[in-house]
Amino acid sequence: MRGLVIGMIAAAVLAYLGAMGTQAAPFVQRFAYWAAVILPGSLLGLGVNALVRGWGGLAAHRWAEAGLVALLLSLPHSFVVIVVSALFFGIGMITPMVVLEFWLAVLLISVVLTAINYLATNGQVAEAAVVPMPQPLPEPAPAPTSAEAPVTDRSALPPLLAEKLPHRLRAGRLLAIEAEDHYLRVHTDLGSDLVLMRMADACALLDDSAGARVHRSWWVARDAVQAVRQQSGRMELALPGDISAPVSRAMQPVLRSQGWL
C-alpha cells in the first residue's frame, strides 16, 4: 500500500511538472499517463523487491539491494512505458535508440522511487538498532526441588509462535527468525517455515536472554551461534543447517560488549 501511495504522489508531481516532454498535454491527460506508467511499475516493484529480499544476498548492504531492485525493475517496465507512451502520445518507429532512451528514463525514475520506498522503511533499521540486547547469561541455577517450578527452556518456541507452525516443527529448538517481505521464516533444528507476523511482534514474544535482533531482518538465538565470520566490515553469524545471519554495523559493537563474539 505504501508503494502504491508513493507511486500516485509521484504521478501527480510528474504530471504537474509536465516531465519528459508531456507539458503540452492537458493536466488530466498528463496525470492519466503518469498513473498508467507508474502504478504498473509499483506493482512490478513489489514483486522484484520480494524476490531480491527473499534471495537475501545483499541483505547486509541496504542501498546495493535497492540499486539491484531498481535495475531489475527498469528492464521489464521500460516496455510497459513504451506501450503506454505509444497509446497516449504516439512515438513513431521504435528503434534500439528509442528503447535505450526510454530505459534510461525509466531507470532514473525507478532509482528515485525505490530510494523513497527504502527511506520510508528506514524506521525498521532504527527499531533494530534500539532493541534491548540480552545481558550475559547467568550462572546455571541449582537443580529445582520438587517444590520449585522447572526452569524454562530458552530455546523452546513461544506458544503463540509455535501454533502458527506445522506440527512437525513445534517441538523444535528455535535457531533464528528471518524477515521475508510481510512474512517471517522461523528456523528451527527440525526445519523452517513461513508465518504471517511482524518481526517486532515476534521479538516481543521472546526472552531477552535467549537471543537478539542482530539485523533489521534477523533475530538469532544466542545458543545457536556456531561461528562468527567477518570480512571487509561485513559480519555474519553461522548457525546450524548452513544458515548465515548478517549482523548490522550498528549491532556489532553491542554484540561485542555482550560477549557474543
Side-chain angles (χ1 to χ4, degrees):
M1 183 60 67
R2 182 189 64 247
L4 294 176
V5 170
I6 291 174
M8 287 299 294
I9 294 173
V13 171
L14 291 170
Y16 176 77
L17 296 176
M20 305 296 182
T22 60
Q23 65 272 13
F27 175 80
V28 173
Q29 182 180 358
R30 297 200 304 268
F31 179 74
Y33 167 74
W34 283 112
V37 163
I38 290 181
L39 291 183
S42 297
L43 296 174
L44 280 172
L46 292 173
V48 173
N49 185 62
L51 290 174
V52 171
R53 290 195 172 187
W55 167 55
L58 294 175
H61 301 278
R62 181 175 175 80
W63 291 110
E65 183 182 79
L68 179 60
V69 170
L71 176 62
L72 295 178
L73 166 62
S74 68
L75 297 173
H77 193 216
S78 297
F79 295 96
V80 174
V81 174
I82 290 174
V83 171
V84 173
S85 299
L87 292 174
F88 273 79
F89 301 110
I91 56 176
M93 183 176 293
I94 300 176
T95 64
M97 185 57 65
V98 170
V99 174
L100 178 61
E101 290 175 353
F102 270 97
W103 175 70
L104 291 174
V106 171
L107 178 61
L108 175 61
I109 295 175
S110 297
V111 167
V112 172
L113 292 182
T114 302
I116 291 173
N117 274 286
Y118 268 69
L119 287 172
T121 60
N122 202 38
Q124 296 178 14
V125 180
E127 180 188 355
V130 300
V131 170
M133 290 297 298
Q135 299 299 317
L137 292 177
E139 293 297 321
T145 66
S146 58
E148 295 175 324
V151 176
T152 302
D153 182 2
R154 294 188 180 90
S155 64
L157 289 161
L160 291 178
L161 185 59
E163 69 183 16
K164 295 178 179 292
L165 293 170
H167 286 279
R168 61 184 176 83
L169 301 180
R170 294 181 182 180
R173 170 181 167 233
L174 180 61
L175 304 178
I177 300 175
E178 177 187 3
E180 292 188 10
D181 200 21
H182 299 297
Y183 293 83
L184 298 179
R185 181 169 295 280
V186 180
H187 296 278
T188 75
D189 59 345
L190 300 179
S192 68
D193 207 343
L194 293 173
V195 300
L196 182 59
M197 180 182 283
R198 297 188 311 165
M199 178 65 83
D201 295 336
C203 290
L205 300 174
L206 300 165
D207 189 339
D208 287 344
S209 65
R213 190 170 176 180
V214 300
H215 186 273
R216 66 184 175 87
S217 300
W218 282 85
W219 180 95
V220 172
R222 182 168 183 162
D223 293 343
V225 178
Q226 296 180 322
V228 179
R229 295 190 287 262
Q230 188 165 10
Q231 183 177 7
S232 302
R234 292 187 58 184
M235 181 180 291
E236 291 183 342
L237 303 177
L239 309 177
D242 293 327
I243 302 170
S244 294
V247 179
S248 69
R249 291 182 184 273
M251 295 304 296
Q252 291 178 21
V254 183
L255 291 176
R256 285 194 182 92
S257 70
Q258 299 297 332
W260 279 55
L261 311 180

